[in-house]
Amino acid sequence: MTTPKIEGAQGRVVVLAGATSAAGLAATRALRDAGARVIATGRTDERLRPLAEAGAETELADATSLAEMTALASRLETVDAVVPLVGGWRGGGGLAGQTDDDFAALLPALVAVQATSRAFDAHLRASAAGRFAVVSSTVVARPLAGGANYAAVKAASEAWTRAVAQGFSKAAREADEPLRAAAVVFRAKALDHDVLAARLVGLWDTDAADLNDRVLDLG
């Protein structure tokens, strides 16, 4: 089997789901500068406007909705990368301070990982170099009582992403084809938006076989 040649971000179609944040804007700018086509989703036109000004095609769609992500996928002929960017942090107060409301507020980050990976799975496996990337936290490796809700959601997101990676490997093996799609976890202690953006641009600098199921430190 011959491994497909990696050609960088130029011409790739990248979906940034739940992109109306500083991280989404930085990623949009970096990917557009690298020659990628960016489709950014959000829930309001007002919050999507800066992304449109940065060169993204914008879609009013909820990243936590499987139905809305599936509808978006059906309108796109090709997708080379999907990055769910729904996030946020709530915590403190030790274990007793981990409230149900805090957990409910954090849960959409996990739901977005689930919805986007399911909706775009076929697109990413069909791509010449599909990529699925999530942003996690170093707290997964050392969870603290005051951030137990947050660590649990991030750990679940990582587990789901590793399952996506196994699905990519299994599909390639059963088709007797080289692995072309990769799912990767980026961990950060304190997220630097520009560092994340650069790493997203570099998703195609490494062959899928070497990238799939990796947990990478954003430093």
Side-chain angles (χ1 to χ4, degrees):
M1 295 185 295
T2 302
T3 301
K5 182 180 179 182
I6 302 298
E7 299 177 346
Q10 177 73 38
R12 305 295 187 189
V13 179
V14 182
V15 174
L16 301 178
T20 56
S21 63
L25 184 57
T28 295
R29 288 171 173 162
L31 286 162
R32 290 292 295 137
D33 286 346
R37 175 189 174 194
V38 176
I39 295 103
T41 80
R43 291 185 292 181
T44 69
D45 285 323
E46 181 180 2
R47 297 193 67 187
L48 283 168
R49 192 169 298 118
L51 297 163
E53 293 170 353
E57 300 171 36
T58 59
E59 292 277 349
L60 274 174
D62 184 350
T64 67
S65 168
L66 177 60
E68 293 186 27
M69 289 296 100
T70 300
L72 174 59
S74 71
R75 297 195 296 273
L76 298 173
E77 183 175 345
T78 301
V79 175
D80 299 301
V82 176
V83 185
L85 290 170
V86 176
W89 187 88
R90 288 175 68 166
L95 201 62
Q98 303 302 291
T99 70
D100 291 346
D101 286 344
D102 286 342
F103 184 74
L106 294 166
L107 195 56
L110 170 60
V111 177
V113 171
Q114 296 172 317
T116 54
S117 62
R118 293 170 67 192
F120 290 97
D121 182 64
H123 285 71
L124 296 178
R125 287 190 284 108
S127 168
R131 300 291 185 263
F132 183 75
V134 303
V135 181
S136 186
S137 170
T138 55
V139 301
V140 171
R142 190 175 182 275
L144 304 176
N149 278 332
Y150 180 74
V153 168
K154 288 299 185 183
S157 296
E158 288 196 13
W160 186 278
T161 302
R162 296 193 66 191
V164 173
Q166 191 276 334
F168 288 159
S169 294
K170 183 174 184 290
R173 185 170 60 252
E174 291 179 346
D176 195 27
E177 294 179 348
L179 181 63
R180 293 187 294 265
V184 61
V185 173
F186 290 120
R187 281 185 186 170
K189 183 175 182 179
L191 184 60
D192 183 314
H193 304 139
D194 292 329
V195 170
L196 172 63
R199 296 297 288 273
L200 294 178
V201 169
L203 280 172
W204 295 276
D205 294 342
T206 303
D207 185 79
D210 296 321
L211 186 63
N212 195 40
D213 201 20
R214 294 281 302 279
V215 178
L216 304 174
D217 188 358
L218 286 179

